Short mmCIF file of all heavy atoms in Angstrom, two decimals:
data_model
loop_
_atom_site.label_atom_id
_atom_site.label_comp_id
_atom_site.label_asym_id
_atom_site.label_seq_id
_atom_site.Cartn_x
_atom_site.Cartn_y
_atom_site.Cartn_z
N SER A 616 -56.12 85.97 -46.29
CA SER A 616 -57.06 86.67 -45.41
C SER A 616 -56.40 87.71 -44.52
O SER A 616 -57.09 88.51 -43.88
CB SER A 616 -57.78 85.66 -44.52
OG SER A 616 -56.85 85.03 -43.66
N HIS A 617 -55.07 87.74 -44.48
CA HIS A 617 -54.32 88.64 -43.58
C HIS A 617 -54.70 88.45 -42.11
O HIS A 617 -54.42 89.30 -41.29
CB HIS A 617 -54.52 90.11 -43.96
CG HIS A 617 -54.11 90.41 -45.37
ND1 HIS A 617 -52.80 90.47 -45.76
CD2 HIS A 617 -54.86 90.66 -46.49
CE1 HIS A 617 -52.71 90.75 -47.05
NE2 HIS A 617 -53.97 90.86 -47.53
N ILE A 618 -55.32 87.38 -41.81
CA ILE A 618 -55.72 87.11 -40.42
C ILE A 618 -55.20 85.72 -40.05
O ILE A 618 -55.44 84.75 -40.77
CB ILE A 618 -57.25 87.16 -40.25
CG1 ILE A 618 -57.77 88.54 -40.62
CG2 ILE A 618 -57.64 86.76 -38.84
CD1 ILE A 618 -59.27 88.63 -40.62
N VAL A 619 -54.51 85.65 -38.96
CA VAL A 619 -54.03 84.35 -38.48
C VAL A 619 -55.18 83.61 -37.81
O VAL A 619 -55.79 84.13 -36.88
CB VAL A 619 -52.87 84.51 -37.46
CG1 VAL A 619 -52.42 83.15 -36.94
CG2 VAL A 619 -51.72 85.25 -38.10
N PRO A 620 -55.55 82.47 -38.30
CA PRO A 620 -56.68 81.75 -37.72
C PRO A 620 -56.44 81.43 -36.24
O PRO A 620 -55.32 81.26 -35.79
CB PRO A 620 -56.74 80.47 -38.55
CG PRO A 620 -55.98 80.77 -39.80
CD PRO A 620 -54.94 81.76 -39.41
N GLU A 621 -57.53 81.36 -35.53
CA GLU A 621 -57.44 81.04 -34.11
C GLU A 621 -56.85 79.65 -33.88
O GLU A 621 -56.21 79.40 -32.86
CB GLU A 621 -58.83 81.09 -33.47
CG GLU A 621 -59.43 82.49 -33.42
CD GLU A 621 -60.78 82.50 -32.75
OE1 GLU A 621 -61.26 81.42 -32.33
OE2 GLU A 621 -61.34 83.59 -32.63
N GLU A 622 -57.07 78.78 -34.90
CA GLU A 622 -56.54 77.42 -34.74
C GLU A 622 -55.02 77.43 -34.57
O GLU A 622 -54.47 76.64 -33.81
CB GLU A 622 -56.91 76.55 -35.95
CG GLU A 622 -58.38 76.17 -36.02
CD GLU A 622 -59.25 77.27 -36.62
OE1 GLU A 622 -58.69 78.36 -36.90
OE2 GLU A 622 -60.46 77.05 -36.78
N PHE A 623 -54.35 78.35 -35.30
CA PHE A 623 -52.90 78.38 -35.21
C PHE A 623 -52.43 78.97 -33.89
O PHE A 623 -51.41 78.57 -33.33
CB PHE A 623 -52.32 79.15 -36.40
CG PHE A 623 -52.44 78.38 -37.68
CD1 PHE A 623 -53.56 78.54 -38.48
CD2 PHE A 623 -51.47 77.46 -38.04
CE1 PHE A 623 -53.68 77.81 -39.65
CE2 PHE A 623 -51.59 76.74 -39.20
CZ PHE A 623 -52.71 76.91 -40.02
N THR A 624 -53.19 79.95 -33.38
CA THR A 624 -52.88 80.47 -32.05
C THR A 624 -53.06 79.38 -31.01
O THR A 624 -52.25 79.21 -30.10
CB THR A 624 -53.78 81.67 -31.72
OG1 THR A 624 -53.63 82.66 -32.73
CG2 THR A 624 -53.42 82.25 -30.35
N ALA A 625 -54.17 78.63 -31.18
CA ALA A 625 -54.42 77.53 -30.26
C ALA A 625 -53.32 76.47 -30.37
O ALA A 625 -52.89 75.88 -29.37
CB ALA A 625 -55.79 76.90 -30.55
N LEU A 626 -52.86 76.24 -31.61
CA LEU A 626 -51.79 75.28 -31.81
C LEU A 626 -50.51 75.73 -31.10
O LEU A 626 -49.81 74.93 -30.48
CB LEU A 626 -51.52 75.09 -33.30
CG LEU A 626 -50.40 74.10 -33.65
CD1 LEU A 626 -50.71 72.72 -33.09
CD2 LEU A 626 -50.23 74.03 -35.16
N GLY A 627 -50.22 77.03 -31.17
CA GLY A 627 -49.06 77.56 -30.46
C GLY A 627 -49.18 77.32 -28.97
O GLY A 627 -48.21 76.95 -28.30
N ASP A 628 -50.41 77.55 -28.44
CA ASP A 628 -50.62 77.29 -27.01
C ASP A 628 -50.41 75.81 -26.69
O ASP A 628 -49.89 75.45 -25.63
CB ASP A 628 -52.04 77.71 -26.60
CG ASP A 628 -52.22 79.23 -26.66
OD1 ASP A 628 -51.19 79.95 -26.58
OD2 ASP A 628 -53.37 79.68 -26.79
N GLN A 629 -50.86 74.96 -27.64
CA GLN A 629 -50.70 73.53 -27.43
C GLN A 629 -49.23 73.15 -27.38
O GLN A 629 -48.79 72.34 -26.55
CB GLN A 629 -51.40 72.76 -28.55
CG GLN A 629 -51.41 71.26 -28.33
CD GLN A 629 -52.24 70.86 -27.12
OE1 GLN A 629 -53.27 71.46 -26.85
NE2 GLN A 629 -51.76 69.87 -26.39
N VAL A 630 -48.43 73.71 -28.29
CA VAL A 630 -47.00 73.43 -28.32
C VAL A 630 -46.35 73.94 -27.04
O VAL A 630 -45.43 73.32 -26.49
CB VAL A 630 -46.33 74.05 -29.56
CG1 VAL A 630 -44.82 73.84 -29.53
CG2 VAL A 630 -46.90 73.42 -30.83
N LYS A 631 -46.83 75.10 -26.54
CA LYS A 631 -46.30 75.62 -25.28
C LYS A 631 -46.56 74.64 -24.14
O LYS A 631 -45.74 74.47 -23.24
CB LYS A 631 -46.92 76.99 -24.95
CG LYS A 631 -46.31 78.13 -25.73
CD LYS A 631 -46.53 79.48 -25.05
CE LYS A 631 -48.00 79.84 -24.97
NZ LYS A 631 -48.17 81.20 -24.41
#
Side-chain angles (χ1 to χ4, degrees):
S616 64
H617 301 287
I618 299 174
V619 178
E621 292 182 359
E622 288 82 356
F623 288 91
T624 303
L626 179 59
D628 292 337
Q629 186 65 37
V630 176
K631 281 202 297 185

